[in-house]
């Protein structure tokens, strides 16, 4: 695949070889199931990427995603990433969906996303190890473009949902 430099869409269920795909600089949409990469640093050349879906626990860090300046949609499914700070500078990121992100505690980087319209964080599974706890949703008060905040099955540790009150475009809330 590394030789397909004009490729714009990649939907692949393959655990190995991702670090060699940095040559695919035309990519606009990627769905990667079971990628075995510690982070996204080797893929920093994907600067045209607008949509990224990562599935399974192979990815341990979002380091490198900060190079994806065109990114508009990010979906993380059962990815055990805890630090969201690499996405803080992605000014076009409008939608984030996280299903089963048990290590995410701090939403501060999400408040720094000026285009963020939709945030969905959802519990997957029924055991105690599947519980999702975020410290607070106060950082979301800075995300003025938010229209939807969907947090089914997420425990907000400080119990305060009032930071959402001041969001002028908010239309849907599920907590």
């Amino acid at each position: 695949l590394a030789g397909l430099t004009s490729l714009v869409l990649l939907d692949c269920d393959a655990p190995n070889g991702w670090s060699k795909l940095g040559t695919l600089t035309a990519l606009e949409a990627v769905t990667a199931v079971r990628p075995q990469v510690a982070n996204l640093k080797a893929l920093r050349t994907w600067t045209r990427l607008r949509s990224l879906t990562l599935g399974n626990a192979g990815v341990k860090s979002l380091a490198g995603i900060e190079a994806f300046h065109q990114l508009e949609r990010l979906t993380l499914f059962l990815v055990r990433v805890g630090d969201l700070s690499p996405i803080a500078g992605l000014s076009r990121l409008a939608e984030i969906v996280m299903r089963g992100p048990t290590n995410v505690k701090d939403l501060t980087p999400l408040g720094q996303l000026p285009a963020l319209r939709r945030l969905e964080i959802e519990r997957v599974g029924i055991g105690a190890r599947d519980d999702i706890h975020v410290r607070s949703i106060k950082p979301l008060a800075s995300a003025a473009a938010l229209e939807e905040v969907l947090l089914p099955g997420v425990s907000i540790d400080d119990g305060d949902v009032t930071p959402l009150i001041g969001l002028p475009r908010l239309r849907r809330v599920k907590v």
Side-chain angles (χ1 to χ4, degrees):
L1 288 175
L4 301 174
T5 56
S6 297
L7 198 66
V8 294
L9 173 94
L10 177 61
D11 188 339
C12 191
D13 180 3
N16 299 315
W18 287 95
S19 61
K20 296 177 182 148
L21 299 181
T23 58
L24 304 180
T25 58
L27 281 172
E28 295 177 11
V30 171
T31 298
V33 180
R34 299 183 301 135
Q36 295 299 313
V37 291
N39 57 56
L40 304 173
K41 290 179 182 178
L43 308 173
R44 286 183 177 175
T45 55
W46 292 0
T47 56
R48 295 183 185 178
L49 201 63
R50 293 183 330 190
S51 177
L52 176 62
T53 300
L54 296 173
N56 215 329
V59 178
K60 306 292 184 205
S61 166
L62 293 177
I65 200 171
E66 60 274 9
F68 303 167
H69 298 288
Q70 304 299 315
L71 197 65
E72 297 170 0
R73 184 171 198 279
L74 176 63
T75 302
L76 302 173
F77 184 73
L78 296 175
V79 173
R80 304 270 183 230
V81 169
D83 180 15
L84 297 177
S85 63
I87 68 170
L90 298 176
S91 62
R92 293 182 177 216
L93 192 54
E95 181 176 343
I96 299 173
V97 175
M98 293 185 276
R99 294 203 167 91
T102 55
N103 293 342
V104 171
K105 308 284 184 232
D106 183 10
L107 301 182
T108 300
L110 305 185
Q112 300 170 29
L113 299 171
L116 186 62
R117 291 190 321 264
R118 182 171 189 272
L119 172 63
E120 180 178 351
I121 303 174
E122 185 175 2
R123 176 183 169 157
V124 174
I126 58 172
R129 69 185 184 103
D130 301 313
D131 289 349
I132 299 170
H133 287 267
V134 296
R135 290 184 192 114
S136 175
I137 60 170
K138 287 178 185 169
L140 299 181
S142 301
L146 267 174
E147 297 173 5
E148 295 183 50
V149 176
L150 309 172
L151 308 172
V154 175
S155 296
I156 302 166
D157 292 344
D158 70 3
D160 186 7
V161 295
T162 61
L164 301 179
I165 292 172
L167 294 172
R169 297 182 181 166
L170 197 60
R171 297 181 6 214
R172 291 183 65 207
V173 174
K174 185 174 184 179
V175 291

